[in-house]
Amino acid sequence: MKLIFRVMVGVVILGITATYMISSGKWQDSVLDPISYTLGHEAADAVDTNVRDGLKAGEQFVADAQNASVTDLIDQLGTIELPSAERHPKYDREMFGDGWQFNTVDGCSTRETVLIRDLEQVVMRDDRKCKVLSGVLVDDPYSGKTINFNSVENPMTVQIDHIVPLSVAWQMGAWEWDSNTRVQFANDLDNLIAADGPTNGSKGDRTPERWMPKSESFHCEYAASYTAITSKYNLAMEQPVREKLTAVLEQC
């Protein structure tokens, strides 16, 4: 499925700068030494450990995804708990952080990272570091259309969508998380996808039993992603959502 390809591309984009610098011997001089000079050896060691652990985790995620099957995903759905009747605070977008995070390795925001991953023929702006000027979204996963994107002329033509909406995650358990976990979820590339703006707007925060992409060819990947991210974060899932995802996956 395309899911595996997108995940693999995402891992490559996030890791390509660090991997290149480590393998070329520039990692110490260009990254660790300046950090050590300004923040101390402990800070540099922490950055080095976190980046290397992150690369290993990404490789493991791809390996696990490659071994997954439809049967595995359906079985996974069966392990997801139903939501409790416990009352929770009102949803507030700010509880998931103030906008997109910036990658500490290359300085790119999560939005720009997703655009670079999902668009083709990407052109970067000369006047701003890590800013996508234009690109082509081929076979948009939500509408099936091919969309020409230009961040100056019409930045909302392509939007970045949370497959599992933040408000849904909040209701299904994220209200109990600490702030760091919520920010991590909001910026998790596994749960993000570039999509046609108007079609994404029609989705809003609706769950799969009330909304599926217009492009039927993407239904399997969408159901698989929704299931995987829910399980990854130990979120709950309402029974109608489980039934819809199961029905979709059984046809894949």
Side-chain angles (χ1 to χ4, degrees):
M1 295 190 301
K2 290 183 179 179
L3 172 64
I4 308 303
F5 175 76
R6 288 179 180 272
V7 171
M8 292 178 69
V9 172
V11 170
V12 170
I13 288 174
L14 282 179
I16 190 169
T17 302
T19 300
Y20 167 73
M21 296 183 78
I22 290 171
S23 62
S24 64
K26 297 180 180 179
W27 180 243
Q28 185 69 41
D29 294 340
S30 301
V31 178
L32 298 184
D33 285 348
I35 292 175
S36 180
Y37 178 77
T38 56
L39 300 177
H41 293 302
E42 291 186 0
D45 290 343
V47 169
D48 187 43
T49 299
N50 288 336
V51 169
R52 292 177 187 274
D53 287 349
L55 292 174
K56 292 178 182 178
E59 292 171 357
Q60 185 60 50
F61 187 89
V62 171
D64 292 343
Q66 288 174 324
N67 292 327
S69 67
V70 171
T71 301
D72 294 330
L73 290 167
I74 293 174
D75 290 342
Q76 196 172 58
L77 276 171
T79 67
I80 297 174
E81 297 182 357
L82 294 170
S84 69
E86 185 177 358
R87 293 177 61 85
H88 52 75
K90 183 179 179 181
Y91 165 71
D92 187 337
R93 172 62 179 85
E94 293 185 0
M95 297 300 289
F96 287 83
D98 182 19
W100 300 115
Q101 278 192 315
F102 287 83
N103 189 303
T104 56
V105 175
D106 56 20
C108 295
S109 71
T110 304
R111 171 183 167 79
E112 301 305 320
T113 299
V114 176
L115 289 174
I116 294 170
R117 181 193 70 185
D118 290 355
L119 300 183
E120 298 182 11
Q121 302 176 37
V122 172
V123 176
M124 307 298 291
R125 284 180 55 166
D126 293 331
D127 60 332
R128 290 183 60 184
K129 179 182 178 182
C130 204
K131 177 68 176 179
V132 175
L133 171 63
S134 63
V136 180
L137 183 58
V138 179
D139 295 331
D140 164 50
Y142 284 2
S143 69
K145 302 184 297 183
T146 291
I147 301 168
N148 292 315
F149 170 74
N150 187 295
S151 64
V152 176
E153 296 178 359
N154 194 347
M156 299 304 290
T157 302
V158 173
Q159 297 178 9
I160 308 302
D161 181 47
H162 290 92
I163 294 174
V164 177
L166 299 184
S167 63
V168 173
W170 177 265
Q171 297 166 26
M172 294 297 107
W175 64 274
E176 297 182 288
W177 297 347
D178 59 45
S179 59
N180 288 338
T181 304
R182 285 195 289 266
V183 170
Q184 175 187 330
F185 181 87
N187 290 271
D188 191 331
L189 297 183
D190 298 339
N191 191 38
L192 294 171
I193 192 169
D196 173 57
T199 305
N200 180 50
S202 72
K203 173 194 174 184
D205 60 359
R206 288 189 288 177
T207 45
E209 86 285 9
R210 296 190 297 141
W211 187 92
M212 289 293 290
K214 293 179 181 179
S215 177
E216 293 186 4
S217 63
F218 189 67
H219 282 192
C220 288
E221 182 176 345
Y222 186 79
S225 296
Y226 201 102
T227 300
I229 201 70
T230 299
S231 179
K232 178 178 180 179
Y233 284 88
N234 295 316
L235 292 168
M237 182 181 289
E238 294 179 322
Q239 187 60 28
V241 180
R242 188 198 312 272
E243 292 174 354
K244 175 63 177 181
L245 292 176
T246 300
V248 171
L249 291 171
E250 285 177 340
Q251 300 302 313
C252 296

